[in-house]
Amino acid sequence: MMNLLKKFMVGRYGADQLSIFLLIVSMIITLISRITGSSILMTISYIPLILTGYRMLSKDLKKRSMENYKFAIFVSPIYSKFKKVQYRIKDFKTHKYYRCAKCKTTLRVPRGKGKILITCTRCKDKFTRET
């Protein structure tokens, strides 16, 4: 049975980040429609699901990969901001973050050192802060 599926998928695009995103959007809309009891939302939830199936079974590899590339470019700034917040939460106990008054660069300094002189790495401005 697996060999039959593998043979069927040869030359087809398969799953990528955009397909997974569309699948998640479809599941979220379905969940909301179940909670609210809206049949219109349930119908709308099929659109991303159908697009996901179409993309995964498509044989136009170049076009699908270009769509995924454009999606990745669109999502990358959002993803990088999410990662910055994630790192700050992870470093909360050991480091403190300050913003340079001149160039607005975010500076990371260790916690528990008392009053320290912080030098901005970009503009070389110096300021004193409590860690």
Side-chain angles (χ1 to χ4, degrees):
M1 187 68 182
M2 281 304 273
N3 285 335
L4 186 64
L5 183 62
K6 283 181 183 178
K7 283 182 184 178
F8 178 73
M9 288 303 289
V10 169
R12 298 185 190 273
Y13 189 66
D16 61 2
Q17 291 90 357
L18 178 56
S19 296
I20 293 168
F21 174 76
L22 289 171
L23 193 61
I24 291 170
V25 166
S26 177
M27 288 191 297
I28 290 171
I29 295 172
T30 302
L31 183 66
I32 292 170
S33 70
R34 289 283 194 185
I35 292 170
T36 62
S38 173
S39 61
I40 295 169
L41 276 179
M42 185 59 100
T43 306
I44 291 172
S45 74
Y46 289 123
I47 295 170
L49 189 63
I50 291 168
L51 283 172
T52 300
Y54 173 75
R55 294 188 82 254
M56 289 175 74
L57 298 175
S58 175
K59 288 191 174 186
D60 192 356
L61 305 179
K62 199 173 197 178
K63 201 170 192 178
R64 299 295 88 81
S65 63
M66 185 54 71
E67 290 169 355
N68 189 52
Y69 176 72
K70 288 179 182 177
F71 173 74
I73 288 173
F74 175 75
V75 171
S76 66
I78 299 166
Y79 181 75
S80 67
K81 285 185 181 183
F82 174 74
K83 279 295 189 188
K84 282 181 185 176
V85 170
Q86 190 178 18
Y87 288 135
R88 278 189 173 205
I89 291 169
K90 187 178 175 184
D91 281 351
F92 178 73
K93 290 182 179 177
T94 59
H95 292 86
K96 219 168 183 182
Y97 290 86
Y98 291 105
R99 197 161 218 135
C100 176
K102 281 189 178 178
C103 67
K104 308 296 185 216
T105 303
T106 304
L107 303 166
R108 180 177 169 246
V109 295
R111 274 189 189 271
K113 300 291 182 185
K115 253 188 180 175
I116 59 169
L117 181 69
I118 303 169
T119 305
C120 178
T121 55
R122 187 178 286 171
C123 68
K124 307 297 183 215
D125 185 37
K126 294 181 182 190
F127 53 95
T128 304
R129 292 286 189 270
E130 182 75 32
T131 63

